[in-house]
């Protein structure tokens, strides 16, 4: 076996293991990423496209250390969401009314066996999504990344492209607004 072939065959399992690890990371984050994108875009198909684009882009970063994947993925996804929002505003904004854009609902698939609990869960989730949609974009991003995704302040600031103090301010304002909007669910 030539030296180059031996080097390639030895490197192939390492690359495959890295891809499997990245694949596992993407599998683990897919549902949360979709919910984040759907809350931001308010359209199921656009959210699926944004998540898919972000995941494809992540494949180019498979050589990066695994600890960089989380902030990198959220940064990419956030950029895709902003791009999709801008495209929709420019291309489709004049074709639909504001009422039609607000009517887009979120589908909920509950695993609960009890229909009453499933209904309560859908109602609570719908209330949370509606409250999140009512927040300004930066507050919604700060809340989602810090609270729902449990990223630390530094990572959230890196993803959002702002200072740690700005993240804390956006998060505080988002919590105050959500608390006022969700008092019925206490």
């Amino acid at each position: 076996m030539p030296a180059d072939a031996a080097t390639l065959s030895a490197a192939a399992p390492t690359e495959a293991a890295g891809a499997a690890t990245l694949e596992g990371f993407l599998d683990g984050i897919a549902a949360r990423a979709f919910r984040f994108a759907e809350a931001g875009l308010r359209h199921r198909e656009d959210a699926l496209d944004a998540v898919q684009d972000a995941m494809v882009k992540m494949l180019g970063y498979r050589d990066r250390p695994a600890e960089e994947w989380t902030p990198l993925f959220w940064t990419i996804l956030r950029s895709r969401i902003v791009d999709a929002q801008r495209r929709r505003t420019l291309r489709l904004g004049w074709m639909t009314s504001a009422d039609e854009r607000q009517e887009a609902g979120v589908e909920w698939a509950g695993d609960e066996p009890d229909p009453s609990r499933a209904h309560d869960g859908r109602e609570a989730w719908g209330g949370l999504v509606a409250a999140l949609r009512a927040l300004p974009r930066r507050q919604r991003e700060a809340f989602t990344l810090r609270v729902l995704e449990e990223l630390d302040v530094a990572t959230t600031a890196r993803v959002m492209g702002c200072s740690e103090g700005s993240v804390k301010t956006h998060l505080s304002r988002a919590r105050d607004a959500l608390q006022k909007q969700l008092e019925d669910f206490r």
Side-chain angles (χ1 to χ4, degrees), residues 51-70:
V51 171
Q52 183 178 8
D53 289 347
M55 288 184 171
V56 168
K57 180 81 172 173
M58 275 299 293
L59 294 176
Y61 296 105
R62 72 168 36 104
D63 296 334
R64 294 257 182 123
E67 58 270 5
E68 291 182 15
W69 289 348
T70 299

Side-chain angles (χ1 to χ4, degrees), residues 146-163:
R146 281 285 293 132
V147 175
L148 301 180
E149 294 303 322
E150 300 177 351
L151 298 181
D152 61 16
V153 174
T155 304
T156 303
R158 193 167 131 206
V159 168
M160 291 178 64
C162 63
S163 69

Side-chain angles (χ1 to χ4, degrees), residues 115-136:
S116 174
R117 293 186 76 193
H119 173 72
D120 292 344
R122 282 191 302 272
E123 187 176 296
W125 176 252
L128 177 62
V129 169
L132 282 171
R133 286 181 176 171
L135 292 176

Side-chain angles (χ1 to χ4, degrees), residues 16-32 55 59 66 69:
T21 305
L22 180 60
E23 183 177 319
F25 168 77
L26 294 175
D27 284 343
I29 205 166
R32 295 187 319 249
M55 288 184 171
L59 294 176
W69 289 348

Side-chain angles (χ1 to χ4, degrees), residues 2 14 33 36 38 44 59 62-63 76 93 121 127-128 141 143 181:
T14 305
F36 179 75
E38 190 174 38
R44 181 178 173 83
L59 294 176
R62 72 168 36 104
D63 296 334
I76 293 168
L128 177 62
E141 290 172 354
F143 182 83
Q181 292 178 20

